[in-house]
Amino acid sequence: MKAFVFSQYKQPLQQVDVPEPAVGDHDVLVRVAAAGVNQLDAKIIEGEFKAILPYSLPHGIGHDMAGSVIGIGANVTGFKIGDEVYARVAKDQVGTFAERVAVAEADLALRPTSITVAEAASLPLVALTAWQALVVKGKLKAGQKVLIHAGAGGVGSLTIQLAKHLGAHVATTASAANADFVRSLGADEVIDYRSQDFEKELSGYDLVLDSLGGENLEKSLRILRPGGKAIGISGPPDPAFAKEAGLNPLLRLVTTGLSSKIRRQARKLGVSYEFLFMHPSGEQLRKISALIDDGALRPIVGATFPFTQTPQAVQSLSKGGMRGKVVVVND
């Protein structure tokens, strides 16, 4: 079976022959028709998450996929051969830039029927991030105000739509060239990050989804109302994440230190900060499928690459300016 792996950090992916996936009793074997490309993939290859996501190299990469079921484990009851499915795979099954992949039944869902397989492959990680940020952690309610940074990107473009579906007032940061695009997704206010300072333009927000970190995250705390919450997906990780991820005591201590400054700033302002490292969920994907097929959400695919050009697909993320997602398609 052909797959793309990284043998060294900060080196391009290589196509190699690898063993067939091991299919456990609760796993489903899927022929990958398309795989979404995420910033997470690029950051892992660059070694940014070595401390919390240690991999024995060489290792496959790729977290999103859509395809068809070609095998099922002995205890699988929810899927059958031929089902069209999609998933964000768990960390021990990462490697969707491949011809086939094993996926835990709990992480898998029937894909939306109203969209293409490439569009389906673009969804799992970004849609689950949006759901877990707004619904699970943010508990966003109709009438509340949310700021979503980088609204034209993969995560931002889905989160704007979900926030609008939930009845929120939505502000986002984007370039002037993308202003009309993010408004078409539902943004009520658009801040041109090149010519405007969102901290001077916005105030009294209930929730912020920050995908940039650093100074951007610090400024985001200051536009929140008392009791508001900033959720970061670029870091820094917080103690709750370290505990949930089962990190060893030393890494827990390091993680606590990484986020101590921003948590301290949040407390002084009477707001809170939480780190979100999205986790797979077939149950949540089923809800997202329903929203897609009902027309409440639409996937945004900015570019597609053939399977043989997977390294170029990953590298394209570094250029920035892409609307929506990059997807690799298996012919």
Side-chain angles (χ1 to χ4, degrees):
M1 181 186 78
K2 296 189 182 304
F4 280 90
V5 306
F6 64 111
S7 299
Q8 297 181 51
Y9 290 110
K10 300 185 178 181
Q11 294 296 318
L13 294 175
Q14 297 175 310
Q15 182 178 302
V16 298
D17 290 319
V18 299
E20 290 290 329
V23 181
D25 289 346
H26 296 277
D27 290 340
V28 175
L29 182 64
V30 179
R31 178 183 291 116
V32 179
V37 183
N38 296 287
Q39 290 289 349
L40 176 60
D41 303 313
K43 290 182 177 182
I44 288 174
I45 294 168
E46 287 297 305
E48 292 187 28
F49 290 123
K50 280 192 291 186
I52 59 176
L53 291 174
Y55 288 109
S56 298
L57 303 184
H59 200 285
I61 193 66
H63 293 74
D64 279 344
M65 71 87 213
S68 55
V69 174
I70 57 174
I72 56 175
N75 295 329
V76 170
T77 59
F79 298 93
K80 64 183 186 301
I81 304 298
D83 280 346
E84 294 291 320
V85 295
Y86 71 150
R88 192 283 202 188
V89 298
K91 62 182 180 181
D92 58 346
Q93 293 179 318
V94 165
T96 61
F97 299 151
E99 294 178 311
R100 291 172 289 282
V101 65
V103 186
E105 180 181 17
D107 300 336
L108 198 64
L110 296 176
R111 73 174 182 86
T113 58
S114 60
I115 59 176
T116 67
V117 69
E119 289 173 326
S122 77
L123 284 169
L125 186 144
V126 295
L128 287 170
T129 298
W131 186 273
Q132 291 169 24
L134 299 185
V135 177
V136 180
K137 282 186 175 288
K139 296 179 173 56
L140 188 66
K141 297 178 177 62
Q144 290 189 317
K145 299 199 298 183
V146 58
L147 168 61
I148 298 160
H149 285 291
V155 172
S157 60
L158 253 295
T159 310
I160 288 172
Q161 295 179 69
L162 180 58
K164 202 63 187 173
H165 172 73
L166 295 171
H169 175 91
V170 182
T172 190
T173 55
S175 66
N178 281 324
D180 288 342
F181 169 64
V182 294
R183 286 193 182 98
S184 75
L185 300 176
D188 298 293
E189 294 184 66
V190 182
I191 307 300
D192 180 355
Y193 66 85
R194 289 174 176 154
S195 64
Q196 294 176 283
D197 183 347
F198 73 86
E199 186 183 358
K200 295 179 180 177
E201 304 287 339
L202 306 175
S203 63
Y205 272 65
D206 299 279
L207 186 66
V208 176
L209 178 61
D210 176 71
S211 55
L212 303 171
E215 182 184 0
N216 197 79
L217 175 56
E218 294 179 12
K219 291 169 65 174
S220 294
L221 296 178
R222 297 194 287 269
I223 65 106
L224 290 168
R225 63 162 177 80
K229 180 183 292 185
I231 296 173
I233 58 175
S234 285
D238 60 7
F241 161 76
K243 181 178 180 180
E244 183 180 348
L247 301 184
N248 65 48
L250 178 58
L251 284 178
R252 286 194 191 189
L253 186 62
V254 170
T255 301
T256 298
L258 288 173
S259 62
S260 61
K261 177 183 176 183
I262 197 71
R263 289 184 291 112
R264 185 167 57 250
Q265 290 175 341
R267 284 194 299 271
K268 287 182 179 179
L269 292 167
V271 301
S272 62
Y273 164 74
E274 291 185 27
F275 175 66
L276 170 62
F277 196 84
M278 189 279 303
H279 61 83
S281 172
E283 179 184 1
Q284 292 174 9
L285 281 179
R286 285 189 286 276
K287 295 176 181 177
I288 290 162
S289 289
L291 291 175
I292 294 287
D293 286 337
D294 287 345
L297 303 178
R298 62 184 174 97
I300 309 294
V301 176
T304 59
F305 289 77
F307 178 67
T308 54
Q309 293 182 17
T310 297
Q312 293 90 327
V314 175
Q315 290 166 2
S316 73
L317 299 183
S318 64
K319 298 175 183 177
M322 183 74 70
R323 289 182 179 179
K325 288 291 296 295
V326 174
V327 177
V328 169
V329 179
N330 286 353
D331 295 326

